[in-house]
Amino acid sequence: TEIEPFGGAATCIGGAIRDPLSGRSYVYGAMRVTGAADPLTPISETIEGKLPQRKIVTTAAAGYSSYGNQIGLATGIVDELYHPGYAAKRMEIGAVIAATPADCVRRETPLPGDVVILLGGATGRDGCGGATGSSKSHNTQSLETCGAEVQKGNAPEERKLQRLFRNPSACRMIKRCNDFGAGGVSVAIGELADGLDIDLDAVPKKYEGLDGTELAISESQERMAVVVATEDVAAFLALADSENLSATPVARVTAEPRLVMNWQGSRIVDVSREFLSSNGAPKHITIETESPEEWARRVSGSFREAYLALASDLNVCSKQGLSERFDSTIGAGTVLMPFGGERQLTPAQAMVAKFPVDGETNTASAMAWGFNPFIMEKDQFKGAYISVVESVARLVAAGFTRDAAYLSFQEYFERLRDVPEPWGKPMAAVLGALEAQIDLGIGAIGGKDSMSGSFEEGDTEINVPPTLISFAVSTGKVDRVTSPEFKGTGHKVVRIVPNAYDAAGLVPAADSLNATFALVEKLIGDGSVLAAATPGYGCSAEALFKMCLGNKIGVVLNDVLSVDELFKLAYGSFFIELADGVEIPATDGVLIEHVGETSEAYVFGTLDETLDMAELQEAWEHGIEGVFPYRSAADDAAAHAKVEKVNFTEAKPLAFAGSIARPHVVIPVFPGTNCEYDTAHAFERAGAEAEVFVINNLTPSKVAESTAALAEAILRSQIVMLPGGFSGGDEPDGSAKFITAFFRAPQVTEAVRDLLQNRDGLMLGI
């Protein structure tokens, strides 16, 4: 992404989707947490040999959102961290969450004679060396020499893979599966079995002229390799064809444990599995950790000046202009919007969505993240520990419990070389994260790392800050979900804090932290909590300020929480808006403080001073709006006024004594469209029969067959529904031209005319 922001960010999310997809899981939610230097820096101050930070952050957002919006993936939280160190190399990371019925996952050891089928896109030279390219440090020549390493994403093709892998019949034929990421055929197919005979001539190509090496290592997207039994090959190929998906047998499992590749009649690779599994020569390194330093938020000026500075801080200010580039509701499973309240301004602290089942469910998943680059820069052990604490605290604040939680880490460090001190940074971070896992009883089940965050060498070298981001996930019921915006006026605001921290006041004691988490979980489960938030980078001041925004509700504090305490780091603590009449019992290890009340006046008040929340809000919204604009020039106070509620319970229900026929709805799925699942569910909930019809354009004859079949489907339907997706607003590269050409075919035109003129049917689209 540092080199080619659009393509790099697009393949970031494409690759993330492929990972769980290879486990036959359907990805239904994404979270994007990236890192950059100050994008407000003038272009004239850009480091030689680099793109301007503003160019990188805006184009990367366009690339990631383009891919996610095309494939139909809800992106629930989008945030970007700003630290001078990320000028060395951008951090483009995130996480996705997926689910699958357990009985759709078949895990078997491939047997001799089994067939490897390559699914999806064709192979080209794009992405040759992509994995190694993304894992190396950069210099002033990288911008000119590394562009060819970037893979070219293909979201519509991966959407077809998602549809096929959502079919239980297809999944149950797959013995083993790998996605095409790093290493191309060599890895994706080479890891499937001990013995393999690969025919590189059978690999579908984007164009002629590729040699055997290119076919073996290309990381072209979006491809999948599956192992099926010989007797299942024909049925699997037919299912792939029904999803308009190219599928080609390219290899066979052999009894002899050797990886063999053949190209143009020659055996160009013949390697023993024993050698491949040896992991190479043993490696040893000397590691030294440096003395940690302390970091605390520096506050200067008056209370008003300090608060305005906090609100406009790039790591606190509104990222709504960035977030709104991403679709957060597609799939119709979103529980928490990225910004909550009637005015949709309070940022959510966790991404929550229902499981993507056919029908209705009350079960949801949540994902939250935690990381402070400024703490990690000074003390990697404590910084990593705090990353875990913050991610879990955000889950708890959203109404989820630790007993179902797991973690995944993403690590990013400077080039380590054969030098003891740089190696000490990831070691200290991993130990800190491990300590937190032990203290909380929550394990990390995956992760990703890169030791490539350096630019140049010697005196001109700059490095990314030591980075370990914790992503925490959990499952629970929708009726427990709690959002952070204040819900009403005149309610008690309570602070719940571990009563023991380390000497620096940064890391909470484990017993006290667990007791705090347990209390908040219980209060939310009892229905005692109207809103909950946990402080992070911007301390208690940020948490309380953002709780006010969503519903334009102020807060007035008493003398329990001092101004100094407002701007002090407080990881593992919570602010709770209590329901009326609730009293919190004393709890060992936990400090419970009544710190104020919510206010009808839109102010942030203390005993000594009252701040105008409208002024703070304007500073907060303006912070990075010059890079990611989202408010029009015509916006005024009315744009953020409270939405007037409509009481639908007063309307009288319609009554009908007769019977109503169930209309039949045909939903054609063209390459580049999505929304078909949620569209079908919406019609079925309303009483219609929905038929999802996949258009096949793999060959001219398939187009003709689909044309005739769609015409027949329309003739037996009362409604034609065109689902949304890539074709809606991405022309000239979208598929709208193909869709309109398809509906101009005489057979389809006649069927539509009959539907509209003779049968009073409907043709709809989004």
Side-chain angles (χ1 to χ4, degrees), residues 69-155:
N69 295 348
Q70 287 176 47
I71 201 169
L73 177 60
T75 306
I77 285 184
V78 180
D79 210 338
E80 191 155 80
L81 302 168
Y82 299 107
H83 184 287
Y86 291 123
K89 193 177 179 186
R90 175 175 177 80
M91 178 174 70
E92 184 70 37
I93 65 167
V96 299
I97 190 161
T100 189
D103 61 2
C104 285
V105 182
R106 176 183 178 188
R107 294 185 178 93
E108 293 183 14
T109 301
L111 300 174
D114 287 345
V115 176
V116 179
I117 297 174
L118 194 158
L119 295 165
T123 301
R125 293 190 178 93
D126 52 298
C128 285
T132 52
S134 67
S135 301
K136 66 185 180 185
S137 54
H138 288 167
N139 55 41
T140 53
Q141 283 75 51
S142 298
L143 197 62
E144 297 179 357
T145 61
C146 297
E149 296 167 349
V150 182
Q151 304 98 326
K152 302 296 183 280
N154 188 345

Side-chain angles (χ1 to χ4, degrees), residues 42-53:
I43 292 178
S44 60
E45 298 178 20
T46 302
I47 298 172
E48 182 181 355
K50 283 189 168 291
L51 295 172
Q53 288 297 310

